[in-house]
Amino acid sequence: MTAQRATLDGGWTGFRAVSGDDAAASAAAANLISILDTVEVPIVVLRRDLMIAGFNKAAADMLRLSPSDIGRAPRESSVLAGLPRLEEQCSQVIASGLECRADFRDGDRCFVTRITPYPQGDRRVTGVVLTFTNMTAFQACVDQVIYERECTKAILNTIADPLVVLSADQRIHSGNRAFYALFLELASLRAKLKGIFADSRTFQSVKVDQVIPGEGRRTLILDARPLTLPDHSERRVLVTFQDITARKQAKAANDLRTIAERKEELRRNEAFLAEAQRLSLTGSFSWRVTTDEITWSEQLYRIFEFDRGAPLTPELIGSRIHLEDVPSLRGVIEQARSGGTDFECEYRLQMPDESVKHLHMVAHSVRDEDGRLEYIGAVQDVTARRLSEQALGKAQSELAHVTRATALSALTVSIAHEVNQPLSGILTNASTCLRMLAADPPDVEGARETARRTIRDGNRAADVIARVRALFIKKESAIEAVDLNELTREVMALSLGDLQRNRVVLHSELAKDLPAITGDRIQLQQVILNLLRNASDAMADVHDRPRQLLVRTEREAGDRVRVSVRDAGEGVDPQNMDKLLDAFYTTKTDGMGIGLSISRSIIERHHGCLWAQANDGPGATFSFSVPSDPASVPDAAPR
Amino acid sequence: MTDRRSLVSVVDDDESVRESLPQLLRLSGFAAQAFSSAEAFLGSDVVSETSCLLLDIAMPGMSGPDLQQELARRQRKIPIVFITGLADASIRPRLLARGAEECLIKPFSEAALLDAVRAALRRPYSQPSRPT
């Protein structure tokens, strides 16, 4: 402190001199000097002649003044020389009596130099007082503020979304570059904002569609929030604009794409369905029972051969229904209408060109949310199937008939033989009879005996004819009790001639306790006939041994009857055994294979089986076995 | 009494033929014998005496034509008249070509039968009538 005081003393020498020797004044001056020395602000007093009159301690420190500088010009001080216009300014102040200011930098410090006339008021100016206010910290603050402001401005200008600060009366206070770029025309927006802010203190996001010149229609989301600063009475509002046009467009595009994709998917599904319906000849329909509203798929129009989209009325549909099927179909429809149950039926269409279509209809009932009955159904064109079934059935029956006819045709020769034998006897006997009666005397007894033989032969011929007639009649399948022994005997009798012609020696072993079976007599006869012919044919090339043929009937366990035909032919290759009975396999050209295959199907229809076996010796045995009571076979009814 | 009747042998597996034909032949002035099979005829003692053979074609075992062949093999020249129930027109010329005298299709008339038998008996190699 002593050092300061010494320095301080040095600074105010001039004042003391000015003050004179008055003791009180001297004390007051000293007092003032102490006060001035406590002031941090450097103070320098210049006389009217601009020489330094005094300075306080802060000035001594900062301006590096010493008491020896008193009475000297400020420019002689190294620091004050940094104020080049100081003397000029001071002169002006002295002349005008008005203070002035000058900026003053000393190194990195800066000051505001205030030049004040002294004394003030109406008294004559005798000098100036220089005060140096250190602005370094303040300037740094200002610089910082400026810097921050520039930063903020740069950031705000970088933001693509427009921002604007509005005054309370919706005047634009400031805005970023994006804002100014966007809103060249502000009048309409301002009106909008006025509306938005008019009566609300709270702000909510607002979506605004705005046509921007050169940009077209944009969709913006406006957000606003109040900017209130402490101790700042002015109310401002920050408004942000979010341009969602692109996002909206992208979403719309995406939605469009999604819709397009769904449409495409739907279209594809529909195409698949239509194609499937076309390929399967199946159309679908719906029928709202209460309103009789009928909807058809494209394929159903095609099946009915109506123009697509033709109004579907019961009358129009009915016009296609085959007359014979109208009553039954009407019955089905009426039942469906009242019953509400699923239905399935077949009916025919009579097309304008007189062709007939067979349709299979299946419908499923559903109820809508109001409980109204609706049928969803499918209609399949089964014409081809029905026609081929019919054709197949016809072909089968024709084939069976042809096979029978073929077999019979082959038998005709032997049948003729069978008939001609007794006929021959009849003729011969009749001739003999006449001769006996013509003798003298007439041999009446001989004639009578001969006549008896004639009758016997006549009956024999009649028997043959009766058997043949039974075979020839193209009878529909008739199920009856059949004695397989009797059947076998009949067939053997018919085949005998044929067999003899082929030099076949026929033996039979017919079981006595054979139960009757239920079946089709003609068909079973045909099977036995086939087997006999087959056996006979198999021995056609046998010359080194008797052509023995054994027909045997026997009772099997489970009340089955077996008929077997054993030949002494070439036999069958075990490898071909199965094949032999498989459809149409034959090594012969006269259709015997067909005979075997038909035989097997006949036997299977009787719920039996037909098989072939190689004999221990030469030849093969063909057998079939059928149940005596087809009802004992599960799920079996004679067809 | 010596009756020189020609022996006509009937070979047929059909019984009514075997019953009726010999009777008619006898009434017509021939001697007649019936056999149910070719084998039976061959095994009999009348082969050499038979002047005419009425022979069935289709028989179990040895057939009519087989018998014809067998007789040829044995150099037994017996005129043969085939009798057959087979209404096959193609058979007759074949049999005739192979040396048969005639082929009668059953049923045949008495006249046709007797004509054929008499024609056969006129064959030079026919067995002479035998005493009965």
Side-chain angles (χ1 to χ4, degrees), chain A residues 85-94 100-102 115:
Chain A
R85 291 180 62 232
L86 182 64
E87 283 180 20
E88 180 194 339
Q89 285 168 321
C90 289
S91 301
Q92 280 174 5
V93 168
I94 290 165
C100 83
R101 289 168 191 247
I115 305 168

Side-chain angles (χ1 to χ4, degrees), chain A residues 421 429 435-436 453 460, chain B residues 14 19-20 23 106 110:
Chain A
Q421 296 283 28
N429 285 327
R435 274 177 183 271
M436 286 173 163
R453 287 210 301 267
R460 203 176 126 200
Chain B
D14 188 78
E19 282 174 358
S20 59
Q23 200 174 21
K106 293 175 189 173
E110 179 189 352

Side-chain angles (χ1 to χ4, degrees), chain A residues 246-522:
Chain A
R247 197 203 301 166
K248 207 174 143 193
Q249 282 169 349
K251 186 173 178 296
N254 197 39
D255 287 351
L256 271 179
R257 198 162 50 239
T258 310
I259 289 170
E261 278 168 6
R262 289 205 180 133
K263 270 188 179 164
E264 173 60 19
E265 196 180 341
L266 197 61
R267 196 195 60 72
R268 223 169 25 231
N269 285 345
E270 279 176 354
F272 276 141
L273 184 63
E275 186 64 7
Q277 291 206 347
R278 200 178 64 74
L279 285 175
S280 64
L281 298 176
T282 304
S284 53
F285 68 88
S286 75
W287 171 35
R288 288 180 193 277
V289 175
T290 45
T291 58
D292 262 342
E293 192 184 326
I294 298 167
T295 314
W296 278 8
S297 75
E298 201 174 330
Q299 181 59 29
L300 201 46
Y301 281 98
R302 221 173 280 141
I303 289 172
F304 273 72
E305 295 176 19
F306 287 144
D307 289 334
R308 201 188 164 192
L312 295 168
T313 60
E315 291 72 30
L316 180 72
I317 299 169
S319 70
R320 281 277 195 269
I321 307 299
H322 195 287
L323 283 179
E324 290 172 21
D325 292 346
V326 167
S328 61
L329 187 60
R330 188 172 289 152
V332 170
I333 298 296
E334 287 313 312
Q335 198 177 347
R337 191 187 289 282
S338 56
T341 51
D342 297 354
F343 63 90
E344 181 168 3
C345 66
E346 283 211 7
Y347 59 93
R348 288 167 295 169
L349 299 186
Q350 179 90 57
M351 306 313 290
D353 64 356
E354 296 303 312
S355 66
V356 171
K357 285 188 180 182
H358 295 253
L359 303 186
H360 185 154
M361 173 164 69
V362 183
H364 175 60
S365 68
V366 291
R367 300 237 173 221
D368 65 12
E369 59 270 24
D370 298 329
R372 284 176 302 211
L373 181 61
E374 181 176 356
Y375 281 95
I376 308 288
V379 176
Q380 188 176 21
D381 183 347
V382 294
T383 310
R385 196 193 302 162
R386 289 291 165 271
L387 290 185
S388 61
E389 278 170 6
Q390 284 173 4
L392 180 64
K394 193 159 167 260
Q396 264 179 345
S397 95
E398 274 173 7
L399 183 61
H401 184 62
V402 163
T403 315
R404 190 157 65 220
T406 307
L408 289 173
S409 156
L411 278 175
T412 305
V413 175
S414 64
I415 289 165
H417 187 251
E418 283 287 301
V419 177
N420 285 338
Q421 296 283 28
L423 274 183
S424 183
I426 289 166
L427 276 185
T428 308
N429 285 327
S431 299
T432 306
C433 202
L434 284 177
R435 274 177 183 271
M436 286 173 163
L437 291 174
D440 187 19
D443 179 0
V444 176
E445 193 47 44
R448 191 177 285 132
E449 179 57 32
T450 309
R452 276 197 204 99
R453 287 210 301 267
T454 307
I455 292 169
R456 185 201 61 193
D457 286 351
N459 285 335
R460 203 176 126 200
D463 284 352
V464 174
I465 297 300
R467 283 204 297 270
V468 169
R469 190 189 289 141
L471 262 187
F472 264 109
I473 289 171
K474 190 180 175 185
K475 215 164 102 182
E476 288 302 311
S477 178
I479 305 301
E480 56 191 329
V482 177
D483 177 353
L484 276 179
N485 276 347
E486 184 194 321
L487 213 63
T488 305
R489 269 188 219 105
E490 283 176 5
V491 176
M492 285 195 302
L494 277 173
S495 308
L496 205 55
D498 190 36
L499 294 174
Q500 282 177 355
R501 201 155 51 94
N502 292 327
R503 282 178 256 163
V504 171
V505 182
L506 177 64
H507 304 281
S508 63
E509 291 174 12
L510 306 184
K512 288 200 170 58
D513 59 344
L514 214 58
I517 66 145
T518 306
D520 185 310
R521 164 180 292 272
I522 305 289

Side-chain angles (χ1 to χ4, degrees), chain A residues 53-124:
Chain A
F55 50 85
N56 67 352
K57 182 183 175 293
D61 291 345
M62 193 199 84
L63 303 173
R64 284 186 293 280
L65 293 174
S66 62
S68 61
D69 288 323
I70 291 173
R72 298 168 75 162
R75 63 177 175 274
E76 289 173 48
S77 146
S78 60
V79 177
L80 286 176
L83 280 164
R85 291 180 62 232
L86 182 64
E87 283 180 20
E88 180 194 339
Q89 285 168 321
C90 289
S91 301
Q92 280 174 5
V93 168
I94 290 165
S96 67
L98 296 171
E99 69 166 49
C100 83
R101 289 168 191 247
D103 286 338
F104 171 55
R105 273 188 180 274
D106 175 35
D108 54 0
R109 294 180 300 175
C110 62
F111 301 88
V112 171
T113 306
R114 192 176 165 207
I115 305 168
T116 315
Y118 172 83
Q120 291 179 311
D122 52 357
R123 288 196 303 174
R124 184 175 170 263

